[in-house]
Every structure is written in structure tokens, then in C-alpha cells.
Amino acid sequence: MTVTGSGSGAPPVEPYDVAIVGAGVVGCAIARRLAHHPGLRVALVEARDDVGQGTSKANTAILHTGFDAVPGSLEARLVREGSRELAAYAAESGIPVERVGALLVAWDEEQLAALPRLAEKARRNDCHDTRVLGAADLYAREPRLGPGALGALHVPGESIICPWTTTLAYATQAVRAGVDLHLDAPVTHAGHADGVHRLDTPRGPLHARRLVNAAGLHADTLDRSLGHDDFTVTPRRGQLVVHDKFARALVRHILLPVPTALGKGVLVAPTVYGNVLLGPTAEDLDDKGDTGSTAEGLRRLREQGRRILPALLEEEVTAVYAGLRAATEHDDYRIAAHPHQGYVTVGGIRSTGLTASLAIAAHVTGLLADTGLHLGARRPLEPVRMPNLGEAFPRPHQRPDLVAADPEYGTLVCHCERVSRGEIRDALAGPVPPRSLDGLRRRTRARAGRCQGFYCGAAVRALFEEAQG
């Protein structure tokens, strides 16, 4: 296996069997799935310096049931299958998940009237445990909810998950099994001739007999370079506010609005890290790189947050961030095989992509086989056990056995997030090590707390730079 970045040697001349463009949660899941077949040479090609650097790192971190997907759509099937698969995988791999359930809150008569229809839609999506609640039952469950709610749809299966650890777990298993990860390798041109794809990158060309386009926001650009015009990606910015851990006691469920055509709307949700999220906005943009927050966007979030959970606005804000979703003009995923080119498009994967990732990977692998790719024998992958970043489970410094065996796990570096020197050391020496302080934060939570690195920043940077040699 190889992990390469800027400054590394040229890629192999012999064509890969499969190249996957995009190392977000979906691209990494596909790479992991293909790694089950030891006869395949697979490249995972990423424009940035780490896996999960795009949409995958800046979402609402919800493991969906798919209760509100369009019944009969590809997305509905893959979310339903993927949700079950990812829940099992997370339990095996140490990815923190909390089944907190969701409440779809109705604030007016029109929304209240929509709840039975949403419950029926959930049943059509094989989600049979939803229940419409009256106002009294709703406020008994969420006593800090703002005044005026008329009822809710309870969806007990909705969960919160760590998106950073999920993507990294997929990538770790893929790399350990022999997948070559090419970082800092944006595809500047793609072509197909004589049965071989050529991907030009600043680090040199890559060649592959089969190509998977999991390029997220740029999937339409890559698709068009290969002669297709099936969809257009419009970046949909979602701004979010992260409230301090002291806010966690205010909310017990994921609080959702009745959805609109633009998305699921503004929610209030706990996170596995112990914070509370408010957001996202839904702003269609032209710039696929505009992840900036705006005063107007944050003002609107505070306005809606004041209605949903008034006490939340009295709590400290730890961070503000924005992510871009790969919205298209279609209401379903754009996953399609082009057998004559040995090419599979995986486009239009919106906020449900995290939940559906393992099922998408299985579906895409089947499509690759339909293009004539010989998968060969299948083997189990070496299990992976990820470091726990969740507050609901014991962290390393809380485990006396671990600290006794290695005191580094008892030496805290980041006190806001209780991150130990041992965790930082392990992340820096991992199969897919961070190439930046932000990458280290996503692996450990160091510098992600209320002081945002003011106290621990120098110590974390020193450990990072020491590891870089």
C-alpha cells in the first residue's frame, strides 16, 4: 500500500484496475469495498491533502433512517440499506453512534397536517416505528422546546455519528489492504483512449482501466470531460453554529423542521462530541469553494434557533462552519455506469451520503462488474478499531487499564476536549496520518474545544512538527 502526497515520486506506469476520483466518505467507502478483492490494483485520488476534506467533514453528522426519502428512489434504497450496514460497522469499528431519535416538529396547522403523510412516507421506506405526538407528549420529551409547537413526528431510529472517524476508518482499511491513496492530486484533465483512462494531475498522470467519479462538488465537471451531460452540481451552502458542551443538557433528540424542497431545513441536534448544532442554512451558490460564513446567514440561524430552543442562544458558541452540498436539478442520486468507457458516475450525493456510503459502495462495485471488471476472489479485511471521539463512551484518559499500560494516554494536551498525548501520537503514526493541524483535529478533537487551541495550540503544533521530522 502507498499513501502519497506532494513531493512523492511518480505514480506507477502500469494502469490501475480502478481509479476512484474523490476521497470523501463515498469515495473511501468504494475504495474499501474494492479492497476486498486482492487481485485488483486500486487508486484513490484526492485533490486535497487529506481524506474527507470536502462535504464529508462539514455535515450535520446524522445517521439517517431514510424515513423521508422519495419512496422507490435509488437514494431511498441505499440509505435504508446503508443505515443498517453503517450502524453495524460503527459498532465493530469503534465509531461513536448515539441513537437519540428525532422529532419532526410542527409549528403551524399546515405542518401538523403534514405529519400523518410523513408517517405514511416513512412506512413506505420501511421505517415502521414512527409515531405522531401531540403537543403535551412533545413537551414532555423536550421541555426546553420553544413555545407554540403543535405536535411532532417521532422517528426513534435517527442517530448521531462521527463523520470524521467514519471516513478515516474506510480509508484506513483500504490503505492497509493495498489501495494506493494519492493526496494533493487534483485531476486537471481526464481522457479515455484505447480502453485506458488518463487522469492528469500536478504530480503526473495516472492511468486506469476503470474509473469511478466520486468527485462530489466537481462530479459534473469530470462527467462532462468524458462526454456526458447528465446533471449539474449547484453548491448548496449550509452554515452551522456549534454550541458549547454546557448546552448539551438542553436537548434530548434531533429536532427537525418539516422539510421543504430546499432540504431538511434548520435543525437543532446534539453531536457525539457533546456539543449542540444549530443549522444548516440552504443557500445555492455559483462558487464551489465558498465555505465562508456570513453575518446574514448566522442572523437567520439565530432567529430560527430562538424559536426552536430559546435557551440555546444563551449558551456560548464554540465554532461556526459551513459546508457545501452537491445539489443537482434531480431529486435522486446520479449513479450510472457507462460500460463502453469502463466508467461509473457517482454524482448528486447529498447529505445522506454518509449514511448510504457502504450501500453506495456495494452498488458501485456491482456496476463496475457489469462493465466487465473481473473482481476475482473476495477476502475479509483486517478489522479496524478507531479511537473513540464520542463523549458517551470512555475516552482513553478515563480508562485506568489503558493509562496503566501506557501513561501517555493519561497525559492531557488539549484540556477542553480531554485529548491525551497518546492519542495525538497514535494519530500522527497512523496508516493515513494527518498532513495538517486540521487533519489532526479531525482525528483527535485536539483544538476543537471552547478555547479553539488558545491554550493547547503551541503544544499540539510542536507534536505535529516533531512527527513531520
Side-chain angles (χ1 to χ4, degrees):
M1 64 78 179
T2 307
V3 180
T4 62
S6 55
S8 299
V13 175
E14 175 67 21
Y16 286 99
D17 294 299
V18 184
I20 304 156
V21 177
V25 69
V26 170
C28 289
I30 295 168
R32 174 188 173 274
R33 180 79 183 202
L34 291 174
H36 278 282
H37 302 278
L40 296 179
R41 293 183 63 249
V42 179
L44 181 57
V45 186
E46 169 55 40
R48 305 195 192 189
D49 68 355
D50 199 2
V51 300
Q53 272 277 57
T55 300
S56 300
K57 75 174 181 182
N59 56 39
T60 50
I62 294 174
L63 180 56
H64 296 283
T65 57
F67 77 96
D68 59 346
V70 177
S73 65
L74 179 62
E75 180 179 17
R77 176 172 72 82
L78 296 180
V79 169
R80 184 169 61 249
E81 295 172 0
S83 178
R84 295 164 183 162
E85 283 189 72
L86 182 49
Y89 179 79
E92 295 167 3
S93 305
I95 297 167
V97 172
E98 292 181 55
R99 197 173 188 263
V100 295
L103 292 168
L104 207 68
V105 181
W107 295 96
D108 58 39
E109 293 292 344
E110 184 180 354
Q111 293 176 4
L112 187 66
L115 297 183
R117 294 195 298 272
L118 286 165
E120 175 56 29
K121 189 178 189 180
R123 283 191 288 273
R124 293 172 64 193
N125 283 319
D126 201 26
C127 185
H128 299 285
D129 57 355
T130 65
R131 187 162 68 93
V132 176
L133 307 178
D137 199 354
L138 169 60
Y139 279 98
R141 292 170 182 268
E142 287 290 351
R144 308 302 290 271
L145 192 68
L150 303 181
L153 181 68
H154 183 213
V155 189
E158 295 281 292
S159 304
I160 53 177
I161 188 171
C162 176
W164 306 333
T165 309
T166 304
T167 305
L168 184 61
Y170 295 162
T172 297
Q173 283 191 296
V175 167
R176 281 179 176 171
V179 170
D180 287 345
L181 174 59
H182 297 271
L183 299 171
D184 291 315
V187 174
T188 55
H189 180 265
H192 181 254
D194 301 323
V196 175
H197 293 274
R198 175 185 169 117
L199 304 174
D200 290 331
T201 79
R203 296 179 44 247
L206 289 163
H207 300 85
R209 296 184 180 88
R210 299 288 187 282
L211 178 64
V212 176
N213 173 4
L217 292 164
H218 302 280
D220 57 341
T221 304
L222 181 55
D223 207 44
R224 289 192 179 98
S225 72
L226 293 167
H228 306 283
D229 191 14
D230 297 335
F231 61 95
T232 298
V233 172
T234 300
R236 183 166 293 162
R237 182 170 61 190
Q239 300 182 51
L240 294 111
V241 177
V242 183
H243 287 269
D244 192 79
K245 296 178 193 298
F246 287 122
R248 179 63 182 84
L250 297 177
V251 62
R252 301 170 184 174
H253 303 74
I254 302 163
L255 301 180
L256 299 169
V258 176
T260 69
L262 279 177
K264 299 181 187 299
V266 173
L267 58 80
V268 171
T271 75
V272 294
Y273 317 116
N275 303 100
V276 176
L277 284 181
L278 170 64
T281 57
E283 310 155 61
D284 286 348
L285 308 176
D286 296 321
D287 184 355
K288 293 183 178 182
D290 187 356
T291 56
S293 299
T294 66
E296 175 59 20
L298 297 178
R299 184 193 65 76
R300 291 203 307 270
L301 286 181
R302 288 180 60 83
E303 218 171 67
Q304 295 185 61
R306 184 174 288 109
R307 182 184 195 186
I308 300 166
L309 201 69
L312 184 63
L313 272 68
E314 300 171 12
E315 300 294 335
E316 295 291 334
V317 171
T318 296
V320 170
Y321 68 93
L324 298 175
R325 289 161 275 176
T328 73
E329 67 274 36
H330 304 280
D331 62 0
D332 201 357
Y333 293 163
R334 309 309 295 167
I335 301 178
H338 304 280
H340 66 288
Q341 289 180 305
Y343 169 56
V344 177
T345 309
V346 188
I349 310 300
R350 299 179 294 268
S351 58
T352 54
L354 169 62
T355 299
S357 54
L358 290 174
I360 292 173
H363 182 62
V364 169
T365 301
L367 293 178
L368 285 169
D370 291 344
T371 70
L373 176 67
H374 179 61
L375 296 173
R378 180 180 167 87
R379 63 173 176 188
L381 295 179
E382 178 188 347
V384 64
R385 191 70 188 173
M386 303 303 292
N388 168 48
L389 301 188
E391 285 290 281
F393 311 93
R395 300 285 302 284
H397 76 277
Q398 296 170 316
R399 295 176 51 190
D401 58 327
L402 200 60
V403 175
D406 186 346
E408 292 284 83
Y409 292 114
T411 304
L412 295 184
V413 177
C414 172
H415 288 261
C416 292
E417 295 298 302
R418 302 292 191 268
V419 182
S420 68
R421 188 181 175 95
E423 291 167 271
I424 293 173
R425 175 202 63 201
D426 293 349
L428 292 169
V432 186
R435 296 174 179 271
S436 68
L437 289 173
D438 281 346
L440 182 59
R441 175 176 54 83
R442 289 191 296 275
R443 286 161 174 79
T444 63
R445 284 174 39 183
R447 299 169 53 251
R450 60 177 59 96
C451 86
Q452 291 290 287
F454 179 81
Y455 177 79
C456 68
V460 173
R461 178 179 290 277
L463 292 171
F464 176 78
E465 292 176 349
E466 180 183 335
Q468 306 309 301

